[in-house]
Amino acid sequence: MSVRHFLTLNDLNANELDELLDHASALKKEWRAGKVRDSLKNRVLAMIFEKSSTRTRVSFEAGMIQLGGAALFLSPRDTQLGRGEPIEDSARVISSMADAVMIRTFDHNTVRRFASVSKAPVINALTDDYHPCQLLADMQTYREHRGSIRGATVTWVGDGNNMCNSYINAAQQFGFHLRVACPKGYEPDAALMAEAGNYVSIVHDPLLAAKDSNLLVTDVWASMGQEDEQAERAKTFANYQINPALLAQADRDALFMHCLPAHRGEEISEDMLEHASSVVWDEAENRLHAQKALLEFLILGQMG
Ligand code: CP
Ligand code: NVA
């Protein structure tokens, strides 16, 4: 069987995604009950980080250890990747020694190039274009709190960035409607929007976009690599804050999510993370459980 990768949510089909989330919730219960699981005993995950991370690093590293395996943290500062060794050469070597490779980088093409010659499954742990691992956690969290997301309305507030692009993929895979509320000029990728057809609409006014929505989601206004645009973006995005007033437009059972890290006073008001509708801490923890399910699926080639 040829090796499977997880570069976007579209690398799994809708059934596989459903099964994966079921398995993630089962793994969570098992882990909370203190059951020892060694499904990935002696397996190794190589983790290449070209951008900072707290949640992604801790969840992948802890996840591998909890399943009986190990994870190697590789920084471009200390490997030959940072000194210009071609991606494909690095991919051939690293994937001949590790059972899976996780990459967080800038250009999405880097993970594609790596995967094209990798003998081991490659996981996209965030690029400038996509953040599929976060969507697994978000979808698991919605399902655990509210059941199936099929047919729901989800409102994305803010930048049409990597997270937003992965929400567009999710709308198609999980069958919900996504409204994107963003300032003009910050819309998500046009080709991706076209492909998503009726699953996605742009509603520039955040109050209209939030109306009767079942889930409100946002992310930082300036992503990693856009630090020099921070001041300009703060002005442009000033009306695109999730706060209790915006949430009041949504369905009364609406949930609020944020992939974190959050900037209080910018994309969210000071009180949003602790708001009754907020599930951000469950969402963060579910990175661990969803990725353990993903690692088992990719490394063992089976679900559960
Ligand atoms: N949400 C997320 O990916 O967080 P980190 O940048 O801390 O990994
Ligand atoms: N859009 C953010 C997500 C961080 C997890 C970034 O790329 O920096």
Side-chain angles (χ1 to χ4, degrees):
M1 203 186 83
S2 68
V3 64
R4 300 278 300 266
H5 302 296
F6 187 62
L7 307 190
T8 75
L9 277 186
N10 292 339
D11 285 331
L12 269 63
N13 66 38
N15 278 343
E16 287 171 334
L17 287 170
D18 275 341
E19 281 180 36
L20 191 140
L21 296 190
D22 284 346
H23 187 47
S25 294
L27 287 176
K28 179 176 180 173
K29 275 204 196 94
E30 198 182 285
W31 178 70
R32 286 192 170 168
K35 193 160 175 237
V36 174
R37 186 179 180 95
D38 61 359
S39 53
L40 298 183
K41 190 163 190 276
N42 294 333
R43 306 293 187 130
V44 175
L45 172 70
M47 307 190 300
I48 299 170
F49 279 98
E50 297 192 323
K51 287 178 174 174
S52 304
S53 169
T54 296
R55 280 143 288 270
T56 304
R57 178 172 176 185
V58 175
S59 54
F60 271 112
E61 201 162 326
M64 280 305 290
I65 294 167
Q66 289 166 14
L67 294 174
L72 310 177
F73 175 76
L74 304 172
S75 142
R77 273 191 297 279
D78 317 313
T79 60
Q80 300 290 4
L81 269 168
R83 295 182 61 250
E85 182 169 11
I87 307 286
E88 289 79 3
D89 295 359
S90 305
R92 285 193 177 91
V93 174
I94 295 170
S95 71
S96 71
M97 301 177 190
D99 297 279
V101 184
M102 185 235 82
I103 307 176
R104 169 168 284 199
T105 189
F106 294 84
D107 188 352
H108 190 69
N109 215 27
T110 303
V111 294
R112 282 210 190 105
R113 284 172 58 195
F114 197 109
S116 71
V117 295
S118 178
K119 287 193 273 291
V122 175
I123 298 170
N124 173 8
L126 184 147
T127 62
D128 289 345
D129 294 349
Y130 296 99
H131 194 8
C133 291
Q134 184 67 51
L135 262 291
L136 295 181
D138 287 22
M139 294 298 101
Q140 182 187 346
T141 307
Y142 189 91
R143 176 187 289 224
E144 287 177 350
H145 283 269
R146 294 287 182 267
S148 173
I149 198 165
R150 191 162 295 280
T153 298
V154 176
T155 303
W156 173 267
V157 181
D159 191 19
N161 64 10
N162 45 9
M163 274 295 299
C164 182
N165 287 342
S166 283
Y167 259 95
I168 294 174
N169 288 156
Q172 294 163 271
Q173 291 280 45
F174 292 95
F176 60 81
H177 184 76
L178 180 69
R179 291 185 197 143
V180 178
C182 61
K184 290 210 167 72
Y186 292 87
E187 290 84 3
D189 184 72
L192 202 59
M193 286 285 301
E195 199 184 289
N198 291 336
Y199 284 103
V200 186
S201 53
I202 305 263
V203 183
H204 287 291
D205 178 350
L207 287 170
L208 284 181
K211 192 107 187 68
D212 300 328
S213 183
N214 303 105
L215 169 63
L216 259 55
V217 200
T218 190
D219 185 11
V220 292
W221 290 337
S223 287
M224 289 182 274
Q226 299 173 330
E227 288 77 7
D228 55 352
E229 296 175 29
Q230 173 68 42
E232 185 197 325
R233 283 171 171 260
K235 282 189 221 143
T236 312
F237 284 83
N239 290 329
Y240 291 83
Q241 183 187 72
I242 296 189
N243 51 40
L246 189 68
L247 199 72
Q249 300 295 313
D251 185 86
R252 55 196 288 269
D253 290 327
L255 296 177
F256 160 66
M257 293 190 198
H258 190 311
C259 63
L260 305 178
H263 293 178
R264 293 171 176 83
E266 293 183 25
E267 77 276 3
I268 54 162
S269 54
E270 296 286 340
D271 46 359
M272 269 321 293
L273 296 185
E274 307 305 335
H275 192 279
S277 62
S278 167
V279 288
V280 295
W281 309 121
D282 288 345
E283 182 188 3
E285 183 191 316
N286 279 339
R287 293 292 303 277
L288 172 71
H289 310 299
Q291 287 160 200
K292 282 164 81 171
L294 177 69
L295 287 163
E296 285 195 358
F297 174 66
L298 292 176
I299 295 175
L300 303 175
Q302 62 191 45
M303 202 71 76

